[in-house]
Amino acid sequence: MTVVDANVILRYLLDDHKSLSTKARKIIDPAVDGERDLFVPQAVLAECVYVLEKLYKVPRPEVADSLDALLAFKGIATHDATAARMALQWYSDSRVDFVDALVLATAHAQGVGYASFDKDLGKLERRLS
């Protein structure tokens, strides 16, 4: 198992740096079919969302689809992948920040409550109920 950081994922998804993107493909491509096991911490997912959306101006649905596809690779794991993928979908479909969506998705996946002052998160919760 190898833990990957946001830079590896970003170079892989953006393919914007000849040398580093090639190295990123060598790390991630074997995980597609499970030939290599990689772990992506949820903090790394959050950093990727932020960088793609804020710095590269990638539209939310494209950010969510790209990261969801990555998490679907056979050799890629994250803590509570169900919650992470749920959060990506909610982030894509609403105005909720990814981290807030992850809070709500984790609560739903664990069958527990959550606490937040975020109004958009409350609106999403009511829409889901």
Side-chain angles (χ1 to χ4, degrees):
M1 176 78 64
T2 302
V3 180
V4 294
D5 75 357
N7 290 314
V8 172
I9 294 170
L10 292 167
R11 297 297 67 85
Y12 180 82
L13 294 176
L14 294 167
D15 194 22
D16 62 347
H17 189 283
K18 186 175 183 175
S19 156
L20 294 179
S21 294
T22 298
K23 289 178 182 179
R25 281 191 300 279
K26 287 180 181 176
I27 293 167
I28 295 177
D29 280 347
V32 172
D33 295 321
E35 295 172 26
R36 181 173 196 173
D37 292 324
L38 301 175
F39 184 83
V40 180
Q42 287 185 348
V44 168
L45 288 176
E47 184 179 0
C48 289
V49 168
Y50 178 84
V51 169
L52 289 169
E53 179 184 358
K54 303 296 185 191
L55 299 179
Y56 287 91
K57 307 298 183 199
V58 177
R60 284 172 158 241
E62 195 174 323
V63 170
D65 288 347
S66 296
L67 291 171
D68 186 64
L70 186 85
L71 291 177
F73 292 171
K74 190 174 181 179
I76 291 193
T78 190
H79 176 74
D80 200 346
T82 300
R85 295 181 80 185
M86 189 182 309
L88 286 167
Q89 184 62 52
W90 293 345
Y91 157 80
S92 175
D93 295 342
S94 70
R95 296 174 36 123
V96 173
D97 290 333
F98 174 71
V99 172
D100 290 331
L102 188 56
V103 167
L104 183 59
T106 300
H108 274 253
Q110 300 296 320
V112 298
Y114 73 98
S116 175
F117 297 127
D118 188 290
K119 292 179 183 175
D120 287 332
L121 192 59
K123 289 177 189 175
L124 176 60
E125 171 68 15
R126 285 188 294 281
R127 191 176 89 198
L128 297 171
S129 298

PDB file of all heavy atoms in Angstrom, residues 37-59:
ATOM      1  N   ASP A  37      -1.775  -1.076  -4.924  1.00  0.00           N
ATOM      2  CA  ASP A  37      -2.713  -0.553  -3.936  1.00  0.00           C
ATOM      3  C   ASP A  37      -2.270   0.824  -3.469  1.00  0.00           C
ATOM      4  O   ASP A  37      -1.141   0.989  -2.985  1.00  0.00           O
ATOM      5  CB  ASP A  37      -2.806  -1.489  -2.730  1.00  0.00           C
ATOM      6  CG  ASP A  37      -3.469  -2.807  -3.089  1.00  0.00           C
ATOM      7  OD1 ASP A  37      -4.393  -2.791  -3.925  1.00  0.00           O
ATOM      8  OD2 ASP A  37      -3.075  -3.846  -2.533  1.00  0.00           O
ATOM      9  N   LEU A  38      -3.165   1.788  -3.631  1.00  0.00           N
ATOM     10  CA  LEU A  38      -2.908   3.163  -3.221  1.00  0.00           C
ATOM     11  C   LEU A  38      -3.960   3.595  -2.212  1.00  0.00           C
ATOM     12  O   LEU A  38      -5.119   3.185  -2.303  1.00  0.00           O
ATOM     13  CB  LEU A  38      -2.947   4.108  -4.421  1.00  0.00           C
ATOM     14  CG  LEU A  38      -1.967   3.823  -5.558  1.00  0.00           C
ATOM     15  CD1 LEU A  38      -2.230   4.774  -6.720  1.00  0.00           C
ATOM     16  CD2 LEU A  38      -0.534   3.938  -5.081  1.00  0.00           C
ATOM     17  N   PHE A  39      -3.559   4.441  -1.281  1.00  0.00           N
ATOM     18  CA  PHE A  39      -4.492   5.005  -0.310  1.00  0.00           C
ATOM     19  C   PHE A  39      -4.499   6.517  -0.475  1.00  0.00           C
ATOM     20  O   PHE A  39      -3.445   7.153  -0.515  1.00  0.00           O
ATOM     21  CB  PHE A  39      -4.091   4.641   1.120  1.00  0.00           C
ATOM     22  CG  PHE A  39      -5.099   5.124   2.129  1.00  0.00           C
ATOM     23  CD1 PHE A  39      -6.244   4.377   2.387  1.00  0.00           C
ATOM     24  CD2 PHE A  39      -4.922   6.319   2.789  1.00  0.00           C
ATOM     25  CE1 PHE A  39      -7.191   4.825   3.299  1.00  0.00           C
ATOM     26  CE2 PHE A  39      -5.858   6.773   3.705  1.00  0.00           C
ATOM     27  CZ  PHE A  39      -6.994   6.026   3.957  1.00  0.00           C
ATOM     28  N   VAL A  40      -5.713   7.079  -0.593  1.00  0.00           N
ATOM     29  CA  VAL A  40      -5.889   8.523  -0.732  1.00  0.00           C
ATOM     30  C   VAL A  40      -6.596   9.030   0.527  1.00  0.00           C
ATOM     31  O   VAL A  40      -7.793   8.770   0.709  1.00  0.00           O
ATOM     32  CB  VAL A  40      -6.722   8.866  -1.989  1.00  0.00           C
ATOM     33  CG1 VAL A  40      -6.891  10.369  -2.123  1.00  0.00           C
ATOM     34  CG2 VAL A  40      -6.086   8.271  -3.241  1.00  0.00           C
ATOM     35  N   PRO A  41      -5.876   9.732   1.397  1.00  0.00           N
ATOM     36  CA  PRO A  41      -6.534  10.292   2.577  1.00  0.00           C
ATOM     37  C   PRO A  41      -7.626  11.286   2.173  1.00  0.00           C
ATOM     38  O   PRO A  41      -7.514  11.962   1.141  1.00  0.00           O
ATOM     39  CB  PRO A  41      -5.400  11.015   3.316  1.00  0.00           C
ATOM     40  CG  PRO A  41      -4.144  10.351   2.822  1.00  0.00           C
ATOM     41  CD  PRO A  41      -4.438   9.988   1.394  1.00  0.00           C
ATOM     42  N   GLN A  42      -8.679  11.381   2.979  1.00  0.00           N
ATOM     43  CA  GLN A  42      -9.758  12.313   2.645  1.00  0.00           C
ATOM     44  C   GLN A  42      -9.269  13.755   2.613  1.00  0.00           C
ATOM     45  O   GLN A  42      -9.792  14.568   1.846  1.00  0.00           O
ATOM     46  CB  GLN A  42     -10.930  12.138   3.597  1.00  0.00           C
ATOM     47  CG  GLN A  42     -11.690  10.862   3.332  1.00  0.00           C
ATOM     48  CD  GLN A  42     -12.930  10.712   4.181  1.00  0.00           C
ATOM     49  OE1 GLN A  42     -13.144  11.436   5.144  1.00  0.00           O
ATOM     50  NE2 GLN A  42     -13.758   9.753   3.836  1.00  0.00           N
ATOM     51  N   ALA A  43      -8.265  14.084   3.403  1.00  0.00           N
ATOM     52  CA  ALA A  43      -7.693  15.438   3.354  1.00  0.00           C
ATOM     53  C   ALA A  43      -7.088  15.710   1.980  1.00  0.00           C
ATOM     54  O   ALA A  43      -7.159  16.842   1.471  1.00  0.00           O
ATOM     55  CB  ALA A  43      -6.641  15.609   4.444  1.00  0.00           C
ATOM     56  N   VAL A  44      -6.530  14.692   1.363  1.00  0.00           N
ATOM     57  CA  VAL A  44      -5.967  14.836   0.023  1.00  0.00           C
ATOM     58  C   VAL A  44      -7.089  15.055  -0.990  1.00  0.00           C
ATOM     59  O   VAL A  44      -6.974  15.888  -1.890  1.00  0.00           O
ATOM     60  CB  VAL A  44      -5.092  13.618  -0.341  1.00  0.00           C
ATOM     61  CG1 VAL A  44      -4.729  13.608  -1.819  1.00  0.00           C
ATOM     62  CG2 VAL A  44      -3.835  13.604   0.522  1.00  0.00           C
ATOM     63  N   LEU A  45      -8.196  14.339  -0.834  1.00  0.00           N
ATOM     64  CA  LEU A  45      -9.349  14.582  -1.713  1.00  0.00           C
ATOM     65  C   LEU A  45      -9.810  16.023  -1.590  1.00  0.00           C
ATOM     66  O   LEU A  45     -10.080  16.686  -2.598  1.00  0.00           O
ATOM     67  CB  LEU A  45     -10.506  13.647  -1.359  1.00  0.00           C
ATOM     68  CG  LEU A  45     -10.366  12.184  -1.726  1.00  0.00           C
ATOM     69  CD1 LEU A  45     -11.562  11.393  -1.201  1.00  0.00           C
ATOM     70  CD2 LEU A  45     -10.244  12.023  -3.225  1.00  0.00           C
ATOM     71  N   ALA A  46      -9.903  16.516  -0.358  1.00  0.00           N
ATOM     72  CA  ALA A  46     -10.345  17.894  -0.132  1.00  0.00           C
ATOM     73  C   ALA A  46      -9.380  18.885  -0.778  1.00  0.00           C
ATOM     74  O   ALA A  46      -9.813  19.875  -1.397  1.00  0.00           O
ATOM     75  CB  ALA A  46     -10.472  18.169   1.362  1.00  0.00           C
ATOM     76  N   GLU A  47      -8.086  18.632  -0.665  1.00  0.00           N
ATOM     77  CA  GLU A  47      -7.106  19.521  -1.291  1.00  0.00           C
ATOM     78  C   GLU A  47      -7.250  19.490  -2.813  1.00  0.00           C
ATOM     79  O   GLU A  47      -7.188  20.536  -3.473  1.00  0.00           O
ATOM     80  CB  GLU A  47      -5.689  19.131  -0.884  1.00  0.00           C
ATOM     81  CG  GLU A  47      -4.637  20.073  -1.429  1.00  0.00           C
ATOM     82  CD  GLU A  47      -3.222  19.715  -1.002  1.00  0.00           C
ATOM     83  OE1 GLU A  47      -3.023  18.721  -0.268  1.00  0.00           O
ATOM     84  OE2 GLU A  47      -2.301  20.456  -1.400  1.00  0.00           O
ATOM     85  N   CYS A  48      -7.456  18.320  -3.373  1.00  0.00           N
ATOM     86  CA  CYS A  48      -7.636  18.205  -4.827  1.00  0.00           C
ATOM     87  C   CYS A  48      -8.871  18.980  -5.285  1.00  0.00           C
ATOM     88  O   CYS A  48      -8.822  19.700  -6.289  1.00  0.00           O
ATOM     89  CB  CYS A  48      -7.748  16.738  -5.244  1.00  0.00           C
ATOM     90  SG  CYS A  48      -6.208  15.822  -5.133  1.00  0.00           S
ATOM     91  N   VAL A  49      -9.972  18.831  -4.563  1.00  0.00           N
ATOM     92  CA  VAL A  49     -11.190  19.570  -4.904  1.00  0.00           C
ATOM     93  C   VAL A  49     -10.902  21.064  -4.888  1.00  0.00           C
ATOM     94  O   VAL A  49     -11.242  21.784  -5.840  1.00  0.00           O
ATOM     95  CB  VAL A  49     -12.353  19.231  -3.937  1.00  0.00           C
ATOM     96  CG1 VAL A  49     -13.510  20.198  -4.110  1.00  0.00           C
ATOM     97  CG2 VAL A  49     -12.817  17.797  -4.149  1.00  0.00           C
ATOM     98  N   TYR A  50     -10.281  21.539  -3.824  1.00  0.00           N
ATOM     99  CA  TYR A  50      -9.998  22.965  -3.690  1.00  0.00           C
ATOM    100  C   TYR A  50      -9.120  23.469  -4.841  1.00  0.00           C
ATOM    101  O   TYR A  50      -9.433  24.478  -5.480  1.00  0.00           O
ATOM    102  CB  TYR A  50      -9.318  23.258  -2.350  1.00  0.00           C
ATOM    103  CG  TYR A  50      -8.962  24.712  -2.205  1.00  0.00           C
ATOM    104  CD1 TYR A  50      -9.906  25.630  -1.763  1.00  0.00           C
ATOM    105  CD2 TYR A  50      -7.696  25.177  -2.539  1.00  0.00           C
ATOM    106  CE1 TYR A  50      -9.595  26.976  -1.665  1.00  0.00           C
ATOM    107  CE2 TYR A  50      -7.372  26.513  -2.439  1.00  0.00           C
ATOM    108  CZ  TYR A  50      -8.326  27.414  -2.000  1.00  0.00           C
ATOM    109  OH  TYR A  50      -8.009  28.744  -1.909  1.00  0.00           O
ATOM    110  N   VAL A  51      -8.034  22.777  -5.109  1.00  0.00           N
ATOM    111  CA  VAL A  51      -7.099  23.219  -6.147  1.00  0.00           C
ATOM    112  C   VAL A  51      -7.757  23.193  -7.523  1.00  0.00           C
ATOM    113  O   VAL A  51      -7.633  24.144  -8.301  1.00  0.00           O
ATOM    114  CB  VAL A  51      -5.813  22.357  -6.123  1.00  0.00           C
ATOM    115  CG1 VAL A  51      -4.948  22.626  -7.349  1.00  0.00           C
ATOM    116  CG2 VAL A  51      -5.031  22.611  -4.844  1.00  0.00           C
ATOM    117  N   LEU A  52      -8.465  22.112  -7.830  1.00  0.00           N
ATOM    118  CA  LEU A  52      -9.111  22.022  -9.142  1.00  0.00           C
ATOM    119  C   LEU A  52     -10.173  23.109  -9.327  1.00  0.00           C
ATOM    120  O   LEU A  52     -10.243  23.743 -10.382  1.00  0.00           O
ATOM    121  CB  LEU A  52      -9.729  20.636  -9.329  1.00  0.00           C
ATOM    122  CG  LEU A  52      -8.728  19.499  -9.512  1.00  0.00           C
ATOM    123  CD1 LEU A  52      -9.435  18.150  -9.404  1.00  0.00           C
ATOM    124  CD2 LEU A  52      -7.979  19.618 -10.836  1.00  0.00           C
ATOM    125  N   GLU A  53     -10.979  23.321  -8.288  1.00  0.00           N
ATOM    126  CA  GLU A  53     -12.058  24.305  -8.405  1.00  0.00           C
ATOM    127  C   GLU A  53     -11.540  25.739  -8.349  1.00  0.00           C
ATOM    128  O   GLU A  53     -11.880  26.559  -9.202  1.00  0.00           O
ATOM    129  CB  GLU A  53     -13.087  24.094  -7.295  1.00  0.00           C
ATOM    130  CG  GLU A  53     -14.227  25.107  -7.351  1.00  0.00           C
ATOM    131  CD  GLU A  53     -15.216  24.980  -6.216  1.00  0.00           C
ATOM    132  OE1 GLU A  53     -15.081  24.085  -5.354  1.00  0.00           O
ATOM    133  OE2 GLU A  53     -16.140  25.812  -6.180  1.00  0.00           O
ATOM    134  N   LYS A  54     -10.741  26.051  -7.351  1.00  0.00           N
ATOM    135  CA  LYS A  54     -10.349  27.440  -7.111  1.00  0.00           C
ATOM    136  C   LYS A  54      -9.177  27.904  -7.971  1.00  0.00           C
ATOM    137  O   LYS A  54      -9.191  29.028  -8.467  1.00  0.00           O
ATOM    138  CB  LYS A  54     -10.002  27.654  -5.634  1.00  0.00           C
ATOM    139  CG  LYS A  54     -11.120  27.296  -4.674  1.00  0.00           C
ATOM    140  CD  LYS A  54     -12.324  28.180  -4.851  1.00  0.00           C
ATOM    141  CE  LYS A  54     -13.359  27.839  -3.780  1.00  0.00           C
ATOM    142  NZ  LYS A  54     -14.642  28.448  -4.014  1.00  0.00           N
ATOM    143  N   LEU A  55      -8.170  27.078  -8.133  1.00  0.00           N
ATOM    144  CA  LEU A  55      -6.987  27.505  -8.882  1.00  0.00           C
ATOM    145  C   LEU A  55      -7.098  27.226 -10.380  1.00  0.00           C
ATOM    146  O   LEU A  55      -6.686  28.038 -11.195  1.00  0.00           O
ATOM    147  CB  LEU A  55      -5.734  26.857  -8.314  1.00  0.00           C
ATOM    148  CG  LEU A  55      -5.419  27.199  -6.854  1.00  0.00           C
ATOM    149  CD1 LEU A  55      -4.160  26.486  -6.398  1.00  0.00           C
ATOM    150  CD2 LEU A  55      -5.293  28.699  -6.658  1.00  0.00           C
ATOM    151  N   TYR A  56      -7.646  26.058 -10.727  1.00  0.00           N
ATOM    152  CA  TYR A  56      -7.743  25.690 -12.141  1.00  0.00           C
ATOM    153  C   TYR A  56      -9.110  25.976 -12.745  1.00  0.00           C
ATOM    154  O   TYR A  56      -9.317  25.757 -13.934  1.00  0.00           O
ATOM    155  CB  TYR A  56      -7.366  24.215 -12.328  1.00  0.00           C
ATOM    156  CG  TYR A  56      -5.888  23.976 -12.176  1.00  0.00           C
ATOM    157  CD1 TYR A  56      -5.335  23.655 -10.941  1.00  0.00           C
ATOM    158  CD2 TYR A  56      -5.029  24.091 -13.264  1.00  0.00           C
ATOM    159  CE1 TYR A  56      -3.972  23.445 -10.790  1.00  0.00           C
ATOM    160  CE2 TYR A  56      -3.671  23.879 -13.128  1.00  0.00           C
ATOM    161  CZ  TYR A  56      -3.148  23.566 -11.883  1.00  0.00           C
ATOM    162  OH  TYR A  56      -1.798  23.365 -11.744  1.00  0.00           O
ATOM    163  N   LYS A  57     -10.044  26.432 -11.920  1.00  0.00           N
ATOM    164  CA  LYS A  57     -11.395  26.812 -12.381  1.00  0.00           C
ATOM    165  C   LYS A  57     -12.123  25.681 -13.096  1.00  0.00           C
ATOM    166  O   LYS A  57     -12.889  25.894 -14.028  1.00  0.00           O
ATOM    167  CB  LYS A  57     -11.336  28.047 -13.293  1.00  0.00           C
ATOM    168  CG  LYS A  57     -10.599  29.228 -12.698  1.00  0.00           C
ATOM    169  CD  LYS A  57     -11.259  29.724 -11.449  1.00  0.00           C
ATOM    170  CE  LYS A  57     -10.537  30.961 -10.925  1.00  0.00           C
ATOM    171  NZ  LYS A  57     -10.807  31.249  -9.550  1.00  0.00           N
ATOM    172  N   VAL A  58     -11.890  24.447 -12.657  1.00  0.00           N
ATOM    173  CA  VAL A  58     -12.587  23.289 -13.212  1.00  0.00           C
ATOM    174  C   VAL A  58     -14.004  23.286 -12.630  1.00  0.00           C
ATOM    175  O   VAL A  58     -14.180  23.439 -11.422  1.00  0.00           O
ATOM    176  CB  VAL A  58     -11.847  21.981 -12.860  1.00  0.00           C
ATOM    177  CG1 VAL A  58     -12.599  20.765 -13.383  1.00  0.00           C
ATOM    178  CG2 VAL A  58     -10.416  22.010 -13.402  1.00  0.00           C
ATOM    179  N   PRO A  59     -15.026  23.142 -13.468  1.00  0.00           N
ATOM    180  CA  PRO A  59     -16.409  23.121 -12.964  1.00  0.00           C
ATOM    181  C   PRO A  59     -16.636  21.977 -11.971  1.00  0.00           C
ATOM    182  O   PRO A  59     -16.062  20.887 -12.103  1.00  0.00           O
ATOM    183  CB  PRO A  59     -17.255  22.913 -14.228  1.00  0.00           C
ATOM    184  CG  PRO A  59     -16.375  23.326 -15.357  1.00  0.00           C
ATOM    185  CD  PRO A  59     -14.965  23.020 -14.920  1.00  0.00           C
TER     186      PRO A  59
END
